[in-house]
Amino acid sequence: MIDNSALWSSLPVPAILLDPEDRIADANPAAELFLNASVKAVRGHPVWDRVMVDAPMQEAFDRSRETSTPLFVNDVDVGTGERAPLHCNLQISPMQGQPGFMILLISPRELAGRVTHSQSVKSAAKSAIGMAEMLAHEIKNPLAGITGAAQLLSMGLSPEDMELTDLIVEESRRIVKLLEQVEQFGNLSPPDRREVNIHDVLDRARRSALLGFGAHMKIIEDYDPSLPMAWGDPDQLLQVVLNLVKNASEAADKNGGTIRLRSYYEHSFRMRRSDGMGQSLPLQVEVIDDGPGLPADIAGDIFDPFVSGRENGTGLGLALVSKIMSDHDGWISVDSVPGRTVFRMSLPRAPRDVPPPRKSNNSQSSRE
């Protein structure tokens, strides 16, 4: 005879038992991890206050209860109000022998399809970079000649005509700078992984931003002080955070805005790698801003090379972010609406058998 409590606890997906009033009556351990709350804390709460589904649910849910038939809802975003939504499938079934009670199963979809897309992005990026590297030498040489000729011509010209030669020099230098950015993207070395205090990385990025491109912004730290060490290259992770903070700063209006740097631990976040093995990515870092949000026409391709929402953007900053995260076996995602954009980094924790790191003087405490 199977112990029902053991069966309930052993379910590998979040399972929630609902009473006839759609309140949470029970939740298994997987659901506690998904909700980031204990069953005692959520028992008696309306389920749709804790499980937020980006789809009209109530009518179909009521019909399932009335007719005692299962309900399947596929490919919907499900959140908890405390983190970015996950793409999930929902299964809802009446509880046999308990009229009005329902069981809700939440199945976060495997990220394999998105990983495949990430791999295709990397492949496309390599092709683009390979072409750029091949042409860079041939382009830079004539550009240097054009720049030199324009500077020589400017010596004997009137101030009005010098505006044209200055334009030639300025545009030539801009093209060279773009080529150098492309070459930097292609030549990024593999990560030198070690134990990383991700809060040190965030603090370095915050201080650098406030002294430069983010001087007009308010940057708030919202850290989980118990977060364990991450496993990665601190310099490359700093580059990721700097790029995200810079994007948020540039998206804000001239009066500035607010950027929140948030860290937390999520036990249940896993990603299936291309080799079929599961990868645990429990360390979560979010860069949240209150800017206008991503343009709707590029939101789905924002991590692709040469896709930019700014008029003079190169489209390489977020592509570099995606490449670095992929090289770290991590994950980067974005959820954006006007007034709130969240870039979320998911990273592996350091292996337990790594020697302890050297002491750091930086504090992990939350502060503004």
Side-chain angles (χ1 to χ4, degrees):
M1 189 74 177
I2 298 177
D3 182 356
N4 289 336
S5 62
L7 182 62
W8 176 251
S9 300
S10 301
L11 286 174
V13 298
I16 301 174
L17 179 64
L18 310 180
D19 69 12
E21 303 299 325
D22 291 346
R23 295 186 299 258
I24 298 176
D26 200 0
N28 72 339
E32 290 181 300
L33 290 175
F34 183 85
L35 297 172
N36 197 27
S38 69
V39 65
K40 291 182 180 179
V42 300
R43 184 176 284 127
H45 286 230
V47 65
W48 307 125
D49 287 351
R50 288 287 184 168
V51 179
M52 300 171 186
V53 182
D54 186 21
M57 287 285 300
Q58 194 62 54
E59 183 178 347
F61 189 82
D62 291 342
R63 187 166 57 250
S64 174
R65 176 181 275 128
E66 291 171 4
T67 59
S68 296
T69 56
L71 172 65
F72 299 90
V73 182
N74 297 325
D75 300 330
V76 292
D77 289 331
V78 180
T80 65
E82 298 180 355
R83 67 177 188 190
L86 296 177
H87 211 50
C88 299
N89 294 336
L90 303 181
Q91 297 170 282
I92 301 168
S93 178
M95 183 74 174
Q96 297 296 323
Q98 297 192 47
F101 280 76
M102 306 284 283
I103 294 178
L104 169 64
L105 299 180
I106 304 171
S107 302
R109 295 191 59 188
E110 292 288 353
L111 297 175
R114 294 164 70 188
V115 172
T116 301
H117 174 71
S118 176
Q119 296 297 325
S120 67
V121 168
K122 288 178 65 178
S123 178
K126 287 181 179 179
S127 298
I129 298 305
M131 181 182 298
E133 289 177 340
M134 179 182 67
L135 295 175
H137 180 73
E138 298 299 325
I139 294 175
K140 283 183 177 179
N141 278 346
L143 279 176
I146 292 170
T147 302
Q151 290 173 330
L152 289 173
L153 283 173
S154 67
M155 295 178 182
L157 296 177
S158 65
E160 292 80 9
D161 292 334
M162 283 180 61
E163 291 183 6
L164 298 177
T165 55
D166 289 346
L167 178 63
I168 293 172
V169 172
E170 181 182 345
E171 290 301 298
S172 297
R173 287 175 176 170
R174 186 178 66 84
I175 295 171
V176 170
K177 185 177 179 181
L178 174 60
L179 289 173
E180 289 174 348
Q181 287 179 320
V182 172
E183 290 175 329
Q184 177 190 7
F185 180 80
N187 293 332
L188 191 68
S189 59
D192 178 16
R193 296 206 203 188
R194 66 191 79 168
E195 281 196 336
V196 180
N197 183 335
I198 198 65
H199 296 147
D200 287 347
V201 173
L202 293 173
D203 192 55
R204 288 171 60 193
R206 181 187 64 85
R207 288 186 280 113
S208 178
L210 290 176
L211 291 173
F213 56 78
H216 62 303
M217 304 294 290
K218 179 181 180 182
I219 302 181
I220 299 173
E221 295 177 335
D222 181 10
Y223 298 164
D224 176 358
S226 65
L227 206 68
M229 292 290 182
W231 186 241
D233 185 318
D235 291 332
Q236 291 192 14
L237 293 178
L238 176 62
Q239 181 69 58
V240 168
V241 178
L242 281 172
N243 282 8
L244 295 178
V245 173
K246 184 178 182 181
N247 275 8
S249 300
E250 292 176 343
D253 62 31
K254 61 181 180 181
N255 296 320
T258 301
I259 298 172
R260 181 179 296 273
L261 304 178
R262 181 185 180 219
S263 70
Y264 60 98
Y265 196 89
E266 185 175 328
H267 299 266
S268 60
F269 194 92
R270 298 182 64 86
M271 182 177 71
R272 186 173 296 279
R273 302 195 309 242
S274 56
D275 61 3
M277 299 295 292
Q279 172 72 51
S280 177
L281 303 174
L283 306 187
Q284 312 301 319
V285 176
E286 293 181 340
V287 178
I288 308 168
D289 71 74
D290 57 358
L294 297 174
D297 58 333
I298 65 168
D301 304 314
I302 196 65
F303 295 110
D304 290 3
F306 310 116
V307 174
S308 176
R310 299 195 307 274
E311 182 178 353
N312 296 317
T314 62
L316 292 177
L318 290 179
L320 179 61
V321 164
S322 179
K323 182 178 187 297
I324 292 174
M325 292 302 298
S326 179
D327 289 344
H328 277 74
D329 296 323
W331 185 251
I332 180 77
S333 61
V334 62
D335 180 52
S336 181
V337 296
R340 179 178 170 85
T341 296
V342 182
F343 281 91
R344 181 187 186 192
M345 302 162 51
S346 303
L347 292 163
R349 64 178 296 174
R352 299 182 187 275
D353 56 352
V354 173
R358 291 176 294 179
K359 291 184 178 179
S360 171
N361 294 326
N362 290 340
S363 171
Q364 291 186 356
S365 61
S366 299
R367 60 188 182 274
E368 294 191 10

